[in-house]
């Protein structure tokens, strides 16, 4: 039995609240904040968690304020925003495709963003800003191509995943070709970017991501009801008044923007978009896309992985994408075995 509670406002609006899901979201947010504080205090100059909190509240000394506010806080905020964007984008892709493997990693969005970044690095010797813009454009172009190739009187989940896998293979081959065209210096820069890292991130990456999330999150949540109805099938959704293709296209664009922006900010951090929605669903035990829990779970996973990479291997010795890749690979194997035993693949 699920525990739901109806909340009514003085204006006559009502909201049905899933108590378990609400508690889970609160605990995930608490874990994200705790990991963030610990991560800010981790580095060559360790700072106790109490001093971190005091400094964030404006009561630290000059040295701590510089280290925290200028060096470490932007990196942690980028990690939270990138993880949240990937978690939400992954939840949207999986809900639209109705497939637990329907994530940007599998569908080729991350590879498309990588192709855009490599193009700027190898062919144009672009600056950091140009590489970021190239990744954003690459992700958007790849998403548009997948949508067009998957269109046949609408876009259906199974076809979307198959087309995405095919496009991913093609773009991966293009990325390999671009690497063969690069010089040793360009190849080293490209490989570091392709791994996925939060090293060196500053306020210049924070603000664009923050504004994008502030714009897209209300838009996505406003269409969450239609997305949940679409899980019952297009015919039922149309009968219930949902404009299926309009909602699907709108949410696909939002998911592509979130994924491309996250990849542009931190590189193709693997498996967060795949694992965050599934972990959130298992914790909440709630049907539907679980958008908010997935968003919170993605942020928690990324900052925790960054803390693990620094704590175990030292600051900046191991990019966060390596940690998420290892953990995500293990999770993917477990998911495939589970789906096979259940007879779904």
């Amino acid at each position: 039995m699920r525990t739901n509670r109806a909340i009514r406002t003085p204006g006559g609006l009502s909201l049905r609240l899933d108590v378990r899901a609400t508690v889970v979201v609160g605990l995930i947010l608490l874990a994200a904040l705790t990991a963030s504080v610990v991560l800010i205090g981790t580095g060559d100059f360790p700072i106790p968690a109490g001093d971190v909190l005091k400094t964030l509240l404006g009561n630290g000394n000059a040295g701590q304020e510089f280290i925290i506010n200028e060096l470490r806080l932007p990196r942690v905020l980028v990690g939270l925003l990138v993880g949240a964007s990937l978690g939400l984008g992954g939840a949207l892709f999986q809900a639209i495709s109705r497939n637990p493997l329907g994530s940007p990693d599998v569908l080729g969005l991350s590879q498309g963003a990588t192709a855009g970044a490599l193009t700027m690095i190898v062919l144009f010797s672009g600056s950091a800003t140009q590489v970021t813009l190239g990744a954003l454009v690459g992700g958007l172009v790849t998403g548009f191509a997948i949508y067009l190739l998957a269109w046949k009187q609408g876009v259906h989940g199974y076809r979307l995943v198959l087309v995405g896998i095919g496009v991913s293979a093609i773009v991966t081959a293009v990325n390999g070709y671009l690497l063969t065209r690069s010089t040793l210096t360009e190849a080293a820069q490209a490989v570091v970017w392709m791994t996925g890292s939060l090293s060196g991130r500053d306020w210049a990456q924070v603000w664009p991501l923050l504004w994008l999330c502030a714009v897209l999150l209300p838009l996505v949540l406003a269409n969450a009801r239609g997305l949940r109805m679409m899980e019952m099938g297009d015919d039922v959704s149309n009968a219930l008044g949902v404009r299926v293709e309009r909602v699907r296209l709108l949410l696909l664009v939002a998911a592509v923007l979130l994924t491309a922006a996250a990849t542009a900010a931190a590189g193709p951090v693997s498996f967060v978009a795949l694992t965050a929605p599934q972990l959130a669903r298992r914790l909440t035990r709630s049907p539907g896309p679980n958008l908010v829990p997935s968003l919170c779970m993605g942020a928690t996973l990324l900052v925790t992985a960054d803390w693990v990479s620094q704590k175990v291997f030292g600051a900046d010795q191991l990019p966060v994408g390596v940690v998420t890749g290892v953990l995500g690979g293990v999770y993917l194997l477990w998911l495939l075995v589970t789906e096979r035993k259940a007879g779904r693949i």
Side-chain angles (χ1 to χ4, degrees), residues 121-122 178-192:
I121 292 173
V122 175
L178 289 172
L179 284 176
T180 63
R181 290 281 309 274
S182 63
T183 65
L184 184 60
T185 303
E186 292 170 342
Q189 180 186 357
V191 168
V192 171

Side-chain angles (χ1 to χ4, degrees), residues 55-275:
T55 304
L56 292 175
L57 294 173
N59 297 320
N61 59 49
Q64 290 175 339
E65 287 184 358
F66 174 76
I67 292 173
I68 291 176
N69 295 333
E70 299 300 327
L71 301 180
R72 296 181 183 175
L73 180 59
R75 172 178 177 145
V76 172
L77 290 177
V78 170
L80 289 170
L81 290 169
V82 167
S85 299
L86 291 175
L88 181 57
L92 289 172
F93 276 118
Q94 290 178 20
I96 291 171
S97 64
R98 301 174 201 164
N99 191 318
L101 297 178
S103 79
D105 304 311
V106 178
L107 298 181
L109 272 299
S110 299
Q111 292 84 346
T114 301
L118 287 179
T119 300
M120 299 306 300
I121 292 173
V122 175
L123 301 183
F124 300 101
S125 300
S127 63
T129 301
Q130 291 171 329
V131 171
T132 299
L133 291 175
L136 185 60
V137 172
L140 292 174
V141 170
T142 304
F144 184 67
I146 292 172
Y147 184 83
L148 288 182
L149 292 172
W151 174 270
K152 185 179 179 182
Q153 297 179 344
V155 174
H156 301 283
Y158 184 71
R159 188 162 60 241
L160 183 70
V161 173
L162 289 179
V163 170
I165 292 173
V167 170
S168 175
I170 294 172
V171 177
T172 300
V174 171
N175 292 341
Y177 169 74
L178 289 172
L179 284 176
T180 63
R181 290 281 309 274
S182 63
T183 65
L184 184 60
T185 303
E186 292 170 342
Q189 180 186 357
V191 168
V192 171
W193 190 91
M194 291 169 62
T195 305
S197 175
L198 297 175
S199 177
R201 299 309 185 263
D202 56 26
W203 291 105
Q205 283 84 36
V206 173
W207 297 118
L209 269 175
L210 185 60
W211 282 111
L212 183 69
C213 291
V215 171
L216 292 181
L217 182 58
L219 181 66
V220 169
L221 294 180
N223 289 275
R225 180 175 175 272
L227 180 63
R228 184 166 182 173
M229 288 185 177
M230 285 164 56
E231 293 185 342
M232 296 184 291
D234 290 359
D235 293 337
V236 175
S237 301
N238 280 315
L240 293 173
V242 178
R243 300 175 63 181
V244 173
E245 285 306 322
R246 177 182 176 276
V247 172
R248 183 179 286 131
L249 176 60
L250 184 65
L251 294 180
L252 275 175
V253 170
V256 169
L257 282 172
L258 288 166
T259 303
T263 305
V269 180
S270 57
F271 287 113
V272 173
L274 175 68
T275 57

Side-chain angles (χ1 to χ4, degrees), residues 238-319:
N238 280 315
L240 293 173
V242 178
R243 300 175 63 181
V244 173
E245 285 306 322
R246 177 182 176 276
V247 172
R248 183 179 286 131
L249 176 60
L250 184 65
L251 294 180
L252 275 175
V253 170
V256 169
L257 282 172
L258 288 166
T259 303
T263 305
V269 180
S270 57
F271 287 113
V272 173
L274 175 68
T275 57
Q278 293 300 311
L279 291 175
R281 181 187 292 267
R282 281 164 171 76
L283 288 175
T284 62
R285 299 178 186 173
S286 176
N290 284 277
L291 298 179
V292 174
S294 299
L295 179 151
C296 299
M297 180 61 73
T300 304
L301 286 177
L302 195 53
V303 294
T304 303
D306 194 33
W307 175 78
V308 170
S309 70
Q310 291 194 45
K311 193 68 176 178
V312 177
F313 299 94
D316 300 332
Q317 295 299 311
L318 189 69

Side-chain angles (χ1 to χ4, degrees), residues 35 37-47 52 72 307 310-311 315:
V37 171
V38 174
L39 180 58
I40 290 174
T42 303
D44 294 333
F45 183 76
I47 301 175
V52 170
R72 296 181 183 175
W307 175 78
Q310 291 194 45
K311 193 68 176 178

